[in-house]
Amino acid sequence: MIASERTRYIISRLQDKGIITFKLMAQELQVSESTIRRDFEKLEKAGKLRIVPGGAVLTGTEDTSKLSRLFEYENISNFEIKKKIAERASRFVQDGECIFVDGGDNAACLAPFLESRNIRIVTNSGLFVLSLNVQPVELVFLGGNYYIDKGFSAGNLYQQALEKFHFDRVFVGCSGVNLKENAVYSQSYDAMSVRNTAMENGEHSYLLFDSVKLNTRGFYKMGSLSDFEYIICNECPELSDRPSNLITT
């Protein structure tokens, strides 16, 4: 496809969606992201769009910082799989409850399924907070050391505050799951500490992970699969030895 055809296609898709990413356009047009970036730059000079981190929005679109954060959310790896896992997990939540959502990608995908609920939410996930379009009845984002590259808060100050809460339900992710060892892993000590503290203060705990985490290890052993009331994952052949508390989407 020649450059003029690409630009017409890009504008058409932008008018449909209002927001498009380099990655999406490169896939649909079967060209490199660098080629798409050059196309976007030409269209921006022509006043047709505005480039934001990750992609572009229509010229005149307000709050491009919010749109750029949505790029980050929608560019989560295995996004569609994680959305299905999150949707299934959200069915456990009842009105009036207080829940904890941790900083992993799987847990962050709960945002659109919880944002209109009559619930209280405590979280350390910046991505979860920024992905909400409607604020729940009460949203508590606890302070502490914020890790920009990981998108969550942790540390001693966070731990001290977290210990004051009681949760009806706790939703956490992980960096690896080993079925044979009945083990759940975390790559970060801070992330492990936050998750374990929340689980200790929760009535019901749920582990959310996609199948790429299966049969992998992290640096820290967070606990065992039996520590969770339910573990929720997408279906895959490696789940032949199914734990009794496993739910697949």
Side-chain angles (χ1 to χ4, degrees):
M1 184 180 294
I2 62 175
S4 60
E5 292 176 332
R6 289 198 308 272
T7 55
R8 284 196 295 270
Y9 183 85
I10 289 168
I11 292 299
S12 175
R13 295 289 280 132
L14 193 54
Q15 289 171 340
D16 288 340
K17 294 173 67 65
I19 177 173
I20 53 176
T21 66
F22 296 121
K23 181 178 180 180
L24 176 65
M25 288 297 95
Q27 290 174 344
E28 292 188 359
L29 292 171
Q30 298 183 341
V31 295
S32 68
E33 288 190 32
S34 60
T35 297
I36 293 299
R37 185 178 296 274
R38 289 193 294 270
D39 289 339
F40 279 19
E41 290 171 350
K42 290 178 182 178
L43 288 168
E44 185 176 48
K45 289 179 180 178
K48 302 295 185 181
L49 55 76
R50 178 180 296 182
I51 295 175
V52 295
V57 297
L58 280 173
T59 300
T61 301
E62 297 180 354
D63 194 9
T64 55
S65 61
K66 172 65 175 177
L67 291 171
S68 67
R69 293 193 291 266
L70 292 178
F71 283 137
E72 184 181 357
Y73 179 67
E74 293 186 354
N75 283 332
I76 290 174
S77 62
N78 299 318
F79 178 62
E80 294 300 327
I81 289 174
K82 290 176 180 177
K83 276 206 309 184
K84 290 180 181 179
I85 293 169
E87 188 280 326
R88 182 64 182 85
S90 71
R91 299 182 200 175
F92 289 102
V93 178
Q94 303 296 315
D95 284 350
E97 291 186 334
C98 178
I99 71 167
F100 176 80
V101 177
D102 103 310
D105 286 353
N106 279 288
C109 287
L110 282 162
F113 306 108
L114 298 181
E115 62 185 9
S116 299
R117 302 290 301 274
N118 180 26
I119 57 177
R120 293 178 172 87
I121 300 175
V122 178
T123 185
N124 67 331
S125 172
L127 182 56
F128 175 86
V129 173
L130 294 172
S131 300
L132 292 168
N133 291 309
V134 179
Q135 181 169 327
V137 171
E138 184 175 347
L139 176 66
V140 179
F141 184 79
L142 296 180
N145 297 329
Y146 188 76
Y147 299 92
I148 294 176
D149 59 330
K150 298 180 177 65
F152 65 75
S153 294
N156 290 335
L157 289 175
Y158 191 96
Q159 290 291 132
Q160 292 171 17
L162 190 61
E163 290 169 358
K164 307 298 183 183
F165 288 85
H166 173 268
F167 304 111
D168 295 293
R169 303 184 196 277
V170 174
F171 298 94
V172 303
C174 64
S175 63
V177 173
N178 192 294
L179 298 177
K180 292 182 179 179
E181 297 176 0
N182 189 33
V184 182
Y185 292 91
S186 179
Q187 197 65 27
S188 160
Y189 178 83
D190 283 335
M192 178 190 70
S193 297
V194 167
R195 290 162 176 166
N196 286 343
T197 299
M199 290 168 63
E200 289 170 4
N201 293 353
E203 295 291 331
H204 308 278
S205 295
Y206 306 84
L207 176 66
L208 315 182
F209 69 97
D210 53 298
S211 57
V212 297
K213 305 284 181 65
L214 280 173
N215 300 320
T216 62
R217 294 182 176 90
F219 200 63
Y220 297 95
K221 185 176 179 180
M222 192 170 81
S224 66
L225 294 171
S226 56
D227 293 331
F228 300 90
E229 183 167 338
Y230 288 107
I231 55 178
I232 306 172
C233 180
N234 58 300
E235 187 66 85
C236 78
E238 294 181 67
L239 289 171
S240 55
D241 298 326
R242 302 170 66 93
S244 59
N245 58 341
L246 172 71
I247 296 174
T248 54
T249 59

Short mmCIF file of all heavy atoms in Angstrom, two decimals, residues 91-133:
data_model
loop_
_atom_site.label_atom_id
_atom_site.label_comp_id
_atom_site.label_asym_id
_atom_site.label_seq_id
_atom_site.Cartn_x
_atom_site.Cartn_y
_atom_site.Cartn_z
N ARG A 91 -17.13 -10.97 38.96
CA ARG A 91 -18.46 -11.51 39.31
C ARG A 91 -18.56 -11.87 40.79
O ARG A 91 -19.67 -12.00 41.33
CB ARG A 91 -18.76 -12.75 38.47
CG ARG A 91 -18.80 -12.51 36.97
CD ARG A 91 -19.16 -13.79 36.25
NE ARG A 91 -18.78 -13.78 34.84
CZ ARG A 91 -18.91 -14.82 34.03
NH1 ARG A 91 -19.43 -15.96 34.49
NH2 ARG A 91 -18.53 -14.73 32.77
N PHE A 92 -17.43 -12.05 41.45
CA PHE A 92 -17.47 -12.39 42.87
C PHE A 92 -17.80 -11.18 43.75
O PHE A 92 -18.23 -11.34 44.89
CB PHE A 92 -16.12 -12.97 43.32
CG PHE A 92 -15.84 -14.33 42.78
CD1 PHE A 92 -14.99 -14.52 41.71
CD2 PHE A 92 -16.43 -15.46 43.35
CE1 PHE A 92 -14.72 -15.79 41.21
CE2 PHE A 92 -16.18 -16.72 42.87
CZ PHE A 92 -15.32 -16.89 41.80
N VAL A 93 -17.59 -9.98 43.23
CA VAL A 93 -17.74 -8.77 44.03
C VAL A 93 -19.22 -8.46 44.27
O VAL A 93 -20.03 -8.49 43.34
CB VAL A 93 -17.05 -7.58 43.35
CG1 VAL A 93 -17.25 -6.30 44.15
CG2 VAL A 93 -15.57 -7.88 43.16
N GLN A 94 -19.55 -8.15 45.52
CA GLN A 94 -20.91 -7.81 45.90
C GLN A 94 -20.98 -6.33 46.29
O GLN A 94 -20.01 -5.76 46.80
CB GLN A 94 -21.36 -8.67 47.09
CG GLN A 94 -21.28 -10.16 46.84
CD GLN A 94 -22.20 -10.63 45.73
OE1 GLN A 94 -23.36 -10.24 45.68
NE2 GLN A 94 -21.68 -11.47 44.84
N ASP A 95 -22.13 -5.72 46.06
CA ASP A 95 -22.31 -4.31 46.42
C ASP A 95 -22.05 -4.12 47.91
O ASP A 95 -22.41 -4.96 48.75
CB ASP A 95 -23.72 -3.84 46.08
CG ASP A 95 -23.91 -3.60 44.59
OD1 ASP A 95 -22.90 -3.61 43.87
OD2 ASP A 95 -25.06 -3.41 44.16
N GLY A 96 -21.43 -2.99 48.23
CA GLY A 96 -21.16 -2.65 49.62
C GLY A 96 -19.86 -3.19 50.16
O GLY A 96 -19.48 -2.87 51.29
N GLU A 97 -19.13 -3.97 49.37
CA GLU A 97 -17.89 -4.58 49.85
C GLU A 97 -16.71 -3.62 49.74
O GLU A 97 -16.73 -2.66 48.98
CB GLU A 97 -17.60 -5.86 49.08
CG GLU A 97 -18.58 -6.99 49.38
CD GLU A 97 -18.21 -8.30 48.72
OE1 GLU A 97 -17.52 -8.26 47.67
OE2 GLU A 97 -18.62 -9.34 49.23
N CYS A 98 -15.67 -3.95 50.49
CA CYS A 98 -14.38 -3.28 50.38
C CYS A 98 -13.40 -4.28 49.78
O CYS A 98 -13.24 -5.39 50.32
CB CYS A 98 -13.89 -2.82 51.75
SG CYS A 98 -12.26 -2.01 51.70
N ILE A 99 -12.76 -3.91 48.68
CA ILE A 99 -11.87 -4.85 48.00
C ILE A 99 -10.49 -4.22 47.81
O ILE A 99 -10.34 -3.00 47.82
CB ILE A 99 -12.44 -5.29 46.64
CG1 ILE A 99 -12.38 -4.14 45.63
CG2 ILE A 99 -13.87 -5.80 46.78
CD1 ILE A 99 -12.63 -4.59 44.21
N PHE A 100 -9.52 -5.11 47.64
CA PHE A 100 -8.16 -4.67 47.34
C PHE A 100 -7.77 -5.15 45.95
O PHE A 100 -8.00 -6.31 45.58
CB PHE A 100 -7.16 -5.25 48.35
CG PHE A 100 -5.72 -4.91 48.03
CD1 PHE A 100 -5.20 -3.67 48.36
CD2 PHE A 100 -4.91 -5.81 47.36
CE1 PHE A 100 -3.89 -3.34 48.03
CE2 PHE A 100 -3.60 -5.50 47.04
CZ PHE A 100 -3.09 -4.26 47.38
N VAL A 101 -7.18 -4.24 45.17
CA VAL A 101 -6.68 -4.56 43.83
C VAL A 101 -5.19 -4.27 43.80
O VAL A 101 -4.78 -3.14 44.07
CB VAL A 101 -7.40 -3.72 42.75
CG1 VAL A 101 -6.82 -4.02 41.37
CG2 VAL A 101 -8.89 -3.98 42.76
N ASP A 102 -4.37 -5.26 43.48
CA ASP A 102 -2.93 -5.04 43.53
C ASP A 102 -2.38 -4.50 42.21
O ASP A 102 -3.14 -4.25 41.26
CB ASP A 102 -2.22 -6.32 43.99
CG ASP A 102 -1.56 -7.08 42.85
OD1 ASP A 102 -2.20 -7.35 41.82
OD2 ASP A 102 -0.39 -7.43 43.01
N GLY A 103 -1.06 -4.33 42.12
CA GLY A 103 -0.46 -3.60 41.02
C GLY A 103 -0.17 -4.38 39.75
O GLY A 103 0.40 -3.81 38.83
N GLY A 104 -0.52 -5.64 39.66
CA GLY A 104 -0.25 -6.41 38.46
C GLY A 104 -1.19 -6.07 37.31
O GLY A 104 -2.27 -5.52 37.51
N ASP A 105 -0.78 -6.43 36.08
CA ASP A 105 -1.59 -6.16 34.90
C ASP A 105 -2.95 -6.83 34.96
O ASP A 105 -3.97 -6.24 34.57
CB ASP A 105 -0.86 -6.63 33.63
CG ASP A 105 0.28 -5.71 33.25
OD1 ASP A 105 0.43 -4.65 33.87
OD2 ASP A 105 1.04 -6.07 32.32
N ASN A 106 -2.98 -8.10 35.41
CA ASN A 106 -4.26 -8.82 35.46
C ASN A 106 -5.24 -8.11 36.36
O ASN A 106 -6.43 -7.98 36.04
CB ASN A 106 -4.03 -10.26 35.94
CG ASN A 106 -3.57 -11.18 34.83
OD1 ASN A 106 -4.33 -11.54 33.95
ND2 ASN A 106 -2.29 -11.56 34.87
N ALA A 107 -4.77 -7.68 37.53
CA ALA A 107 -5.65 -6.98 38.46
C ALA A 107 -6.07 -5.62 37.92
O ALA A 107 -7.21 -5.19 38.09
CB ALA A 107 -4.96 -6.83 39.81
N ALA A 108 -5.15 -4.91 37.22
CA ALA A 108 -5.47 -3.61 36.65
C ALA A 108 -6.61 -3.70 35.64
O ALA A 108 -7.40 -2.76 35.49
CB ALA A 108 -4.24 -3.00 35.99
N CYS A 109 -6.73 -4.84 34.98
CA CYS A 109 -7.79 -5.03 33.98
C CYS A 109 -9.18 -5.12 34.62
O CYS A 109 -10.18 -5.16 33.90
CB CYS A 109 -7.51 -6.27 33.14
SG CYS A 109 -6.16 -6.04 31.95
N LEU A 110 -9.25 -5.14 35.94
CA LEU A 110 -10.54 -5.12 36.63
C LEU A 110 -11.23 -3.77 36.50
O LEU A 110 -12.45 -3.66 36.73
CB LEU A 110 -10.35 -5.45 38.11
CG LEU A 110 -10.16 -6.92 38.48
CD1 LEU A 110 -9.57 -7.03 39.88
CD2 LEU A 110 -11.49 -7.66 38.41
N ALA A 111 -10.48 -2.71 36.18
CA ALA A 111 -11.01 -1.35 36.23
C ALA A 111 -12.38 -1.17 35.57
O ALA A 111 -13.31 -0.68 36.22
CB ALA A 111 -9.98 -0.37 35.66
N PRO A 112 -12.57 -1.53 34.29
CA PRO A 112 -13.86 -1.26 33.67
C PRO A 112 -15.01 -2.08 34.25
O PRO A 112 -16.17 -1.71 34.07
CB PRO A 112 -13.62 -1.61 32.20
CG PRO A 112 -12.49 -2.58 32.21
CD PRO A 112 -11.62 -2.14 33.34
N PHE A 113 -14.70 -3.16 34.95
CA PHE A 113 -15.74 -4.02 35.50
C PHE A 113 -16.12 -3.65 36.94
O PHE A 113 -17.08 -4.19 37.48
CB PHE A 113 -15.28 -5.48 35.45
CG PHE A 113 -14.86 -5.93 34.08
CD1 PHE A 113 -13.53 -6.15 33.78
CD2 PHE A 113 -15.79 -6.08 33.06
CE1 PHE A 113 -13.12 -6.54 32.52
CE2 PHE A 113 -15.41 -6.47 31.79
CZ PHE A 113 -14.07 -6.69 31.52
N LEU A 114 -15.37 -2.74 37.53
CA LEU A 114 -15.64 -2.34 38.91
C LEU A 114 -16.00 -0.87 39.04
O LEU A 114 -16.50 -0.45 40.09
CB LEU A 114 -14.41 -2.63 39.79
CG LEU A 114 -13.97 -4.09 39.91
CD1 LEU A 114 -12.76 -4.18 40.83
CD2 LEU A 114 -15.09 -4.97 40.42
N GLU A 115 -15.74 -0.07 38.00
CA GLU A 115 -15.82 1.38 38.15
C GLU A 115 -17.22 1.91 38.46
O GLU A 115 -17.35 2.99 39.03
CB GLU A 115 -15.26 2.07 36.91
CG GLU A 115 -16.01 1.78 35.64
CD GLU A 115 -15.34 2.41 34.41
OE1 GLU A 115 -14.22 2.91 34.56
OE2 GLU A 115 -15.94 2.39 33.33
N SER A 116 -18.26 1.18 38.09
CA SER A 116 -19.62 1.66 38.35
C SER A 116 -20.28 0.95 39.52
O SER A 116 -21.47 1.15 39.78
CB SER A 116 -20.49 1.48 37.09
OG SER A 116 -19.96 2.23 36.01
N ARG A 117 -19.52 0.16 40.25
CA ARG A 117 -20.07 -0.62 41.34
C ARG A 117 -20.15 0.18 42.64
O ARG A 117 -19.34 1.07 42.89
CB ARG A 117 -19.22 -1.88 41.56
CG ARG A 117 -19.09 -2.78 40.34
CD ARG A 117 -20.40 -3.47 40.01
NE ARG A 117 -20.86 -4.27 41.11
CZ ARG A 117 -20.47 -5.55 41.31
NH1 ARG A 117 -19.62 -6.12 40.47
NH2 ARG A 117 -20.94 -6.23 42.33
N ASN A 118 -21.10 -0.19 43.47
CA ASN A 118 -21.27 0.43 44.79
C ASN A 118 -20.34 -0.27 45.78
O ASN A 118 -20.77 -1.05 46.63
CB ASN A 118 -22.74 0.30 45.22
CG ASN A 118 -22.99 0.93 46.58
OD1 ASN A 118 -22.26 1.85 46.98
ND2 ASN A 118 -23.98 0.44 47.28
N ILE A 119 -19.05 0.00 45.64
CA ILE A 119 -18.04 -0.67 46.44
C ILE A 119 -16.95 0.31 46.85
O ILE A 119 -16.84 1.39 46.28
CB ILE A 119 -17.39 -1.85 45.69
CG1 ILE A 119 -16.77 -1.36 44.37
CG2 ILE A 119 -18.39 -2.97 45.47
CD1 ILE A 119 -16.05 -2.43 43.58
N ARG A 120 -16.15 -0.10 47.82
CA ARG A 120 -14.95 0.65 48.21
C ARG A 120 -13.74 -0.12 47.69
O ARG A 120 -13.67 -1.33 47.84
CB ARG A 120 -14.88 0.80 49.72
CG ARG A 120 -15.98 1.68 50.30
CD ARG A 120 -15.87 1.74 51.81
NE ARG A 120 -16.79 2.74 52.37
CZ ARG A 120 -18.05 2.48 52.70
NH1 ARG A 120 -18.53 1.26 52.51
NH2 ARG A 120 -18.83 3.42 53.19
N ILE A 121 -12.80 0.61 47.11
CA ILE A 121 -11.62 -0.02 46.53
C ILE A 121 -10.36 0.59 47.12
O ILE A 121 -10.22 1.81 47.18
CB ILE A 121 -11.59 0.16 44.99
CG1 ILE A 121 -12.83 -0.47 44.35
CG2 ILE A 121 -10.31 -0.47 44.41
CD1 ILE A 121 -12.93 -0.22 42.86
N VAL A 122 -9.45 -0.27 47.56
CA VAL A 122 -8.12 0.13 47.97
C VAL A 122 -7.14 -0.48 46.99
O VAL A 122 -7.26 -1.67 46.64
CB VAL A 122 -7.79 -0.34 49.41
CG1 VAL A 122 -6.37 0.06 49.80
CG2 VAL A 122 -8.80 0.22 50.40
N THR A 123 -6.19 0.30 46.50
CA THR A 123 -5.25 -0.23 45.51
C THR A 123 -3.89 0.43 45.62
O THR A 123 -3.77 1.52 46.20
CB THR A 123 -5.81 -0.02 44.08
OG1 THR A 123 -4.95 -0.65 43.13
CG2 THR A 123 -5.92 1.46 43.75
N ASN A 124 -2.88 -0.23 45.10
CA ASN A 124 -1.56 0.39 44.94
C ASN A 124 -1.20 0.50 43.47
O ASN A 124 -0.06 0.78 43.13
CB ASN A 124 -0.49 -0.42 45.68
CG ASN A 124 -0.25 -1.79 45.06
OD1 ASN A 124 -1.15 -2.38 44.46
ND2 ASN A 124 0.95 -2.32 45.21
N SER A 125 -2.18 0.30 42.60
CA SER A 125 -1.95 0.27 41.15
C SER A 125 -2.28 1.61 40.51
O SER A 125 -3.46 2.00 40.42
CB SER A 125 -2.79 -0.83 40.50
OG SER A 125 -2.72 -0.74 39.10
N GLY A 126 -1.25 2.33 40.05
CA GLY A 126 -1.48 3.56 39.32
C GLY A 126 -2.23 3.31 38.03
O GLY A 126 -3.10 4.10 37.64
N LEU A 127 -1.93 2.22 37.36
CA LEU A 127 -2.59 1.89 36.10
C LEU A 127 -4.08 1.64 36.31
O LEU A 127 -4.91 2.07 35.51
CB LEU A 127 -1.93 0.66 35.46
CG LEU A 127 -2.47 0.22 34.11
CD1 LEU A 127 -2.41 1.35 33.10
CD2 LEU A 127 -1.68 -0.98 33.60
N PHE A 128 -4.43 0.95 37.40
CA PHE A 128 -5.84 0.71 37.71
C PHE A 128 -6.58 2.02 37.91
O PHE A 128 -7.64 2.26 37.34
CB PHE A 128 -5.96 -0.15 38.97
CG PHE A 128 -7.38 -0.36 39.43
CD1 PHE A 128 -8.15 -1.39 38.92
CD2 PHE A 128 -7.95 0.49 40.38
CE1 PHE A 128 -9.47 -1.56 39.34
CE2 PHE A 128 -9.25 0.32 40.80
CZ PHE A 128 -10.02 -0.71 40.28
N VAL A 129 -6.01 2.92 38.70
CA VAL A 129 -6.65 4.20 38.99
C VAL A 129 -6.84 5.01 37.71
O VAL A 129 -7.92 5.56 37.46
CB VAL A 129 -5.81 5.00 40.01
CG1 VAL A 129 -6.37 6.41 40.17
CG2 VAL A 129 -5.80 4.28 41.35
N LEU A 130 -5.81 5.10 36.88
CA LEU A 130 -5.87 5.92 35.67
C LEU A 130 -6.77 5.32 34.59
O LEU A 130 -7.15 6.00 33.65
CB LEU A 130 -4.46 6.13 35.12
CG LEU A 130 -3.54 6.96 36.01
CD1 LEU A 130 -2.12 6.96 35.46
CD2 LEU A 130 -4.05 8.38 36.15
N SER A 131 -7.11 4.04 34.74
CA SER A 131 -7.97 3.37 33.76
C SER A 131 -9.44 3.48 34.11
O SER A 131 -10.29 3.05 33.34
CB SER A 131 -7.56 1.89 33.64
OG SER A 131 -6.22 1.77 33.23
N LEU A 132 -9.75 4.03 35.29
CA LEU A 132 -11.14 4.22 35.69
C LEU A 132 -11.73 5.42 34.97
O LEU A 132 -11.11 6.48 34.89
CB LEU A 132 -11.24 4.44 37.20
CG LEU A 132 -10.90 3.25 38.11
CD1 LEU A 132 -10.76 3.72 39.55
CD2 LEU A 132 -11.96 2.16 38.00
N ASN A 133 -12.94 5.29 34.46
CA ASN A 133 -13.66 6.41 33.88
C ASN A 133 -14.70 6.96 34.84
O ASN A 133 -15.13 8.10 34.73
CB ASN A 133 -14.35 5.98 32.58
CG ASN A 133 -13.36 5.71 31.47
OD1 ASN A 133 -12.50 6.53 31.20
ND2 ASN A 133 -13.45 4.55 30.85
#
